[in-house]
Amino acid sequence: MSTRRIVAVSAGMSTPSSTRLLTDRLTQATEKALSERGEQVQTRVVELRELAHDVMNAMTTRVPTGELGGVLEDLGAADGLIAVTPVFNASYSGLFKSFFDIVEPEDLDGMPLIAGATGGTPRHSLVLEHALRPMFSYTRSVVVPTGVYAASEDWGSGESGGRELGERIDRAARQLAMLATERAPRGADPFEEPTPFADLMSGLGR
């Protein structure tokens, strides 16, 4: 049984925040989906607000300080990413964008990813398509088909809002789990279990 590493990035600006709540639910659903596929899971949830000063320093010096270096290292070794931002001025937050501006491009190349966002009104749900998906397409990440946007009303206990959000979360998590398990774990040695030479030569003399 292999271990899949998932990094979840929350750009919420308050404590508690709906952005962190959505991040946690996506993380839990992804852990469940990977476990159902027979995978062990190792996750790290990153609160960007706690790294804000280090992110700004890295923007100007290109040198990660504090805990930021460890976060970037874990992201580079991850098999999947969950990225959730609050909506500011109809787009992602500045802190969210700044963080991904300092991530090495090759670390996101081919990375399976869930894009998530939170806002006060359903009218901002298109931020997933006009802001987040293009940004991660530029980094050559593999964004799952189901984006997850949560408006304030989605957190209610009503019959439709909470159920529909839960369905989107579970669907996105299953898609991320499928993509993450279809590729070799990050850091895996491709020659660890080579095909035996006898098998490679079998049939050549027929």
Side-chain angles (χ1 to χ4, degrees):
M1 181 182 294
S2 58
T3 298
R4 300 292 173 171
R5 298 177 176 87
I6 303 297
V7 171
V9 175
S10 169
M13 301 305 292
S14 60
T15 302
S17 71
S18 59
T19 302
R20 176 58 190 266
L21 180 57
L22 179 58
T23 303
D24 288 343
R25 289 191 58 179
L26 286 167
T27 301
Q28 293 162 8
T30 300
E31 290 173 342
K32 178 182 177 183
L34 284 166
S35 296
E36 290 174 348
R37 298 177 72 91
E39 301 283 347
Q40 292 182 334
V41 191
Q42 184 180 87
T43 59
R44 177 170 187 175
V45 179
V46 179
E47 281 274 15
L48 289 186
R49 64 184 297 274
E50 299 175 356
L51 302 173
H53 291 294
D54 292 329
V55 170
M56 292 301 104
N57 287 338
M59 285 285 291
T60 56
T61 66
R62 307 307 299 177
V63 178
T65 56
E67 294 185 13
L68 182 59
V71 170
L72 295 175
E73 183 177 337
D74 285 349
L75 181 56
D79 299 294
L81 173 64
I82 298 166
V84 187
T85 179
V87 175
F88 285 176
N89 296 323
S91 188
Y92 36 65
S93 74
L95 178 59
F96 183 85
K97 180 63 163 59
S98 295
F99 173 75
F100 285 104
D101 280 344
I102 64 174
V103 175
E104 292 295 333
E106 59 267 22
D107 287 344
L108 293 177
D109 191 353
M111 175 78 72
L113 181 152
I114 295 176
T118 59
T121 168
R123 293 195 300 272
H124 290 308
S125 61
L126 286 178
V127 70
L128 296 171
E129 303 303 324
H130 72 65
L132 290 177
R133 198 175 293 275
M135 185 185 87
F136 287 119
S137 293
Y138 178 79
T139 63
R140 298 184 296 276
S141 305
V142 182
V143 184
V144 304
T146 302
V148 183
Y149 177 83
S152 297
E153 63 192 54
D154 289 320
W155 301 111
S157 56
E159 292 184 3
S160 60
R163 184 183 68 250
E164 291 176 359
L165 176 60
E167 290 173 352
R168 294 197 299 272
I169 289 172
D170 290 341
R171 187 184 312 117
R174 290 193 299 269
Q175 292 167 354
L176 180 60
M178 180 184 68
L179 291 173
T181 54
E182 283 182 347
R183 61 193 218 139
R186 286 286 183 103
D189 182 355
F191 303 107
E192 184 176 1
E193 296 182 3
T195 303
F197 183 75
D199 292 346
L200 289 174
M201 300 299 293
S202 64
L204 293 181
R206 298 177 183 174

